[in-house]
Amino acid sequence: MRVIILVFIILFAFSCNNKYKNAENKDQDYQIIPQPVSIQPSNGKFLVDSKTKISASDALQNEAGFLAQMLSYSAGVTINTGDNGNIQLQLDDTIENEEGYTLSVSYNQITISGKTAKGVFYGIQTLRQLMPASVESKINPTGELTLPAVTITDHPRYQYRGMHLDVARHFFPVDFIKTFIDLIALHKMNTFHWHLTEDQGWRIEIKKYPKLTEIGAFRNGTIVGHHPGTANDQIPYGGFYTQEEIKDIVAYASERHVSVIPEIELPGHSSAAIAAYPNLSCFPEEPTVVTNDMMSEKGKAIQDGGRPKIVQETWGVFPDVYCAGKEETFAFLQDVLDEVIPLFPSEYIHIGGDECPKENWERCSNCQQRIKTEGLEDEHELQSYFITRIEKYLNSKGKNIIGWDEILEGGLAPNATVMSWRGIEGGIEAAKQNHDVIMTPNSSCYFDHYQSEDIENEPLAIGGKTTVGDVYAYEPTPEELTDEEGKFVLGAQGNVWTEYMKTTDYVEYMILPRMTALSEVVWTPKESRNWDDFHSRLQHFSKRFDAMGVNYAKHSIEE
Ligand code: ACM
Ligand code: ZN
């Protein structure tokens, strides 16, 4: 009898083994975004169960932990790390691309190899998409978790794959910033451009200048409706991130191989800083103007009480900018940057540079004196002086600058990277001058635009129309560039200006699925991009959004 039972057990085990070893997989088991460079499906399924173990070297413990947590959620059992695991994470010097990886899944073994830990992390992100969407809900599923056998070789097309978020027009809590970073990582993007200072709010604690957040982080009201607005809502609004919160977010991003680039905007879009420290303006006594008489009652009362500068309450471009003539301005900005630099390990600091009206500089004796003593031609060269001086300071601290494409005007600072936003021309010009370029043209990469024709049924947006298809069709390297010049195009980024995005749901709706399209633009080989195929994969991918509980534009996904 015992022998019979033993034989039965062996046969059962063998048939189970065979069941997974030879299991057939379907096309729908391999729906990955961004589309990998090479993907070869095969027969067999890897079963994740309590015997599954992850082995990784010391250098890959962060990635092993990430994977163990994901699999534990997904399989409903605790997945351990240790020696002789059936999941191997490893570094492989023979992989050329810094972010490249190979992933092999067979019925009894998973191996992820990367040139770096970043590559291994991206291999894990791909593995994630080989699992059912329900894994995103972090609720233990019922049933077996299996992964389809496959061999994938993959690397990104561009080294810079970014998402920008304006937290100044509207402020978003730390938890949402982490969700935003999670989405960046899910899409194998690698940069979070954090727009931290604006006319309508200063959002980063600077210990040497406490009024930046005491005064500058709060406005006394906001216009209602589309600019110029129908009224002021009279509701005080604001918030800021402490340096401790910023450290926490940067560490969170770093674990997900996302680099955080802070933007400290200068010389324009500086009303909030000027409200806190009026001497930074060319004209400290001149009152802040909120266009179309849309200032809040409280704002007016503050001005009547003798404080002429207030944090802006409407949207747009304002003439009250940092004075380029006073030394005080540069001392302030250097002090601010001295506190910003240690918080962000990124190679880059974004210094803005866009939309700086020159009218105050034209009538300011300090600015005119600066033009004279520096032998400058005009106010455009004064802007170039401003940017170059800040660049020199940041270079001396080991940082490089990125600026919006207006920094081309009056001459480019020597080491600057240009973010081309008003179109692609700035990017072309900068690349031809042998400067690095990041493409964010508003026609394709501005996720504050409407995303359908049906504006009546869309939430309020700034204007324009950029559909998910428009984003997908975008080609970041302009054809005007030679192959050599094209190498200066580091990549592309989606920009999220939040004048009209008051809530986190709203932001999610505006970015998804447009950032999904962009993720494939910046990762997948140009010749492998195919709209119909992408759109079909998007049907599967969007189920992850459902399971994650994030909002998205469903009409942009429907057939
Ligand atoms: C910008 O959109 N003003 C860079
Ligand atoms: Zn001035």
Side-chain angles (χ1 to χ4, degrees):
M1 185 63 189
R2 268 200 214 141
V3 172
I4 292 170
I5 290 173
L6 196 62
V7 167
F8 187 76
I9 287 171
I10 289 169
L11 278 176
F12 181 73
F14 187 72
S15 76
C16 281
N17 210 19
N18 260 349
K19 174 178 143 196
Y20 291 114
K21 189 172 180 180
N22 299 316
E24 286 193 14
N25 298 303
K26 305 187 191 73
D27 278 356
Q28 72 192 45
D29 296 326
Y30 305 97
Q31 302 288 322
I32 296 161
I33 294 179
Q35 178 69 35
V37 171
S38 156
I39 170 163
Q40 291 172 301
S42 51
N43 282 348
K45 285 185 194 295
F46 181 97
L47 173 69
V48 181
D49 62 14
S50 58
K51 294 193 287 301
T52 303
K53 195 185 333 167
I54 303 168
S55 297
S57 60
D58 286 351
L60 297 173
Q61 286 307 308
N62 169 55
E63 289 64 38
F66 196 94
L67 179 58
Q69 193 178 54
M70 190 168 82
L71 292 175
S72 299
Y73 281 139
S74 318
V77 291
T78 301
I79 305 296
N80 294 307
T81 55
D83 291 339
N84 301 318
N86 50 356
I87 300 183
Q88 292 280 340
L89 306 184
Q90 58 194 34
L91 295 177
D92 179 353
D93 252 356
T94 65
I95 294 171
E96 275 182 28
N97 190 291
E98 290 295 311
E99 299 178 286
Y101 69 91
T102 60
L103 162 65
S104 116
V105 178
S106 68
Y107 81 100
N108 61 356
Q109 177 76 33
I110 293 177
T111 306
I112 300 177
S113 309
K115 166 102 172 191
T116 62
K118 202 170 181 182
V120 171
F121 183 78
Y122 292 138
I124 293 169
Q125 294 309 312
T126 295
L127 196 69
R128 177 177 178 180
Q129 292 190 49
L130 295 175
M131 298 186 221
S134 58
V135 306
E136 308 294 345
S137 66
K138 300 190 176 169
I139 295 167
N140 292 341
T142 52
E144 287 178 340
L145 175 68
T146 59
L147 291 140
V150 72
T151 303
I152 290 174
T153 308
D154 202 11
H155 62 264
R157 179 175 173 204
Y158 291 102
Q159 71 187 72
Y160 187 106
R161 305 179 303 280
M163 280 296 292
H164 153 284
L165 182 65
D166 166 14
V167 295
R169 271 54 175 266
H170 283 101
F171 177 74
F172 304 101
V174 169
D175 275 358
F176 179 70
I177 302 301
K178 290 182 176 175
T179 298
F180 197 82
I181 290 166
D182 287 340
L183 288 170
I184 290 174
L186 169 68
H187 287 86
K188 299 194 182 83
M189 294 170 100
N190 61 8
T191 307
F192 171 41
H193 169 178
W194 201 1
H195 185 79
L196 284 164
T197 72
E198 255 303 338
D199 295 301
Q200 297 82 6
W202 181 282
R203 305 280 176 233
I204 172 171
E205 176 190 29
I206 301 294
K207 293 183 196 289
K208 189 161 184 183
Y209 296 95
K211 288 184 190 169
L212 284 172
T213 42
E214 283 166 20
I215 293 175
F218 298 91
R219 58 181 183 258
N220 295 300
T222 306
I223 61 158
V224 175
H226 201 279
H227 182 268
T230 52
N232 190 302
D233 69 8
Q234 312 290 348
I235 302 170
Y237 182 90
F240 65 92
Y241 307 99
T242 64
Q243 294 194 358
E244 285 309 307
E245 286 172 327
I246 286 172
K247 282 183 208 161
D248 175 46
I249 285 168
V250 168
Y252 185 89
S254 169
E255 286 165 12
R256 287 152 184 78
H257 296 281
V258 173
S259 170
V260 184
I261 299 179
E263 180 176 354
I264 305 297
E265 171 93 79
L266 55 92
H269 288 292
S270 38
S271 304
I274 286 171
Y277 295 98
N279 262 354
L280 297 168
S281 165
C282 292
F283 303 104
E285 304 305 324
E286 288 186 6
T288 304
V289 175
V290 177
T291 41
N292 282 39
D293 198 23
M294 285 293 168
M295 191 182 294
S296 65
E297 294 307 319
K298 181 128 185 262
K300 284 181 193 156
I302 289 169
Q303 289 193 332
D304 291 346
R307 218 181 81 202
K309 302 293 190 190
I310 62 157
V311 178
Q312 261 300 343
E313 300 176 2
T314 186
W315 320 123
V317 174
F318 307 97
D320 203 5
V321 302
Y322 289 126
C323 178
K326 296 179 198 167
E327 277 308 292
E328 190 179 339
T329 303
F330 293 96
F332 164 81
L333 288 169
Q334 289 178 11
D335 288 342
V336 166
L337 292 168
D338 283 348
E339 292 195 33
V340 170
I341 290 165
L343 294 172
F344 296 93
S346 160
E347 171 193 352
Y348 298 107
I349 303 240
H350 199 302
I351 51 72
D354 62 319
E355 299 181 321
C356 179
K358 306 296 185 293
E359 57 219 65
N360 277 15
W361 291 358
E362 284 165 10
R363 43 188 198 98
C364 169
S365 58
N366 290 313
C367 286
Q368 291 306 310
Q369 185 59 38
R370 177 81 71 192
I371 287 176
K372 225 181 265 166
T373 53
E374 295 294 328
L376 306 173
E377 195 65 38
D378 57 15
E379 286 72 22
H380 288 297
E381 288 198 5
L382 183 57
Q383 155 128 347
S384 175
Y385 164 86
F386 201 123
I387 303 287
T388 301
R389 187 164 164 180
I390 295 293
E391 176 183 77
K392 210 179 276 177
Y393 186 73
L394 284 169
N395 285 170
S396 79
K397 303 284 176 186
K399 297 289 186 186
N400 285 314
I401 67 161
I402 302 176
W404 299 110
D405 59 42
E406 287 93 329
I407 66 169
L408 280 153
E409 294 163 10
L412 208 44
N415 305 313
T417 296
V418 172
M419 204 165 251
S420 189
W421 75 276
R422 291 177 296 176
I424 62 171
E425 293 73 20
I428 294 169
E429 191 182 333
K432 284 186 182 295
Q433 291 183 34
N434 292 1
H435 279 254
D436 284 342
V437 167
I438 296 155
M439 300 303 288
T440 69
N442 49 18
S443 53
S444 310
C445 296
Y446 267 47
F447 300 164
D448 57 344
H449 289 180
Y450 288 103
Q451 56 189 310
S452 80
E453 301 282 359
D454 188 13
I455 287 175
E456 296 296 309
N457 287 312
E458 288 288 336
L460 188 61
I462 202 148
K465 180 179 63 93
T466 303
T467 65
V468 63
D470 294 334
V471 179
Y472 195 79
Y474 178 55
E475 167 49 34
T477 302
E479 57 188 23
E480 290 84 346
L481 298 179
T482 64
D483 286 350
E484 272 313 297
E485 289 163 349
K487 290 182 185 154
F488 289 100
V489 178
L490 302 184
Q493 172 175 287
N495 289 345
V496 187
W497 302 102
T498 59
E499 284 92 335
Y500 301 106
M501 301 178 207
K502 293 171 194 267
T503 64
T504 57
D505 271 13
Y506 210 136
V507 173
E508 289 166 359
Y509 177 87
M510 296 301 273
I511 64 173
L512 299 172
R514 289 188 283 196
M515 87 180 267
T516 314
L518 185 63
S519 78
E520 191 147 309
V521 169
V522 288
W523 181 282
T524 302
K526 187 178 173 184
E527 57 279 8
S528 304
R529 256 159 59 198
N530 176 311
W531 166 255
D532 290 335
D533 187 58
F534 169 76
H535 199 246
S536 155
R537 279 177 285 122
L538 193 53
Q539 315 298 315
H540 294 265
F541 197 76
S542 65
K543 296 194 176 79
R544 279 171 209 280
F545 301 151
D546 291 324
M548 290 165 91
V550 296
N551 193 20
Y552 61 102
K554 296 184 177 60
H555 64 69
S556 290
I557 284 173
E558 284 156 8
E559 305 279 1

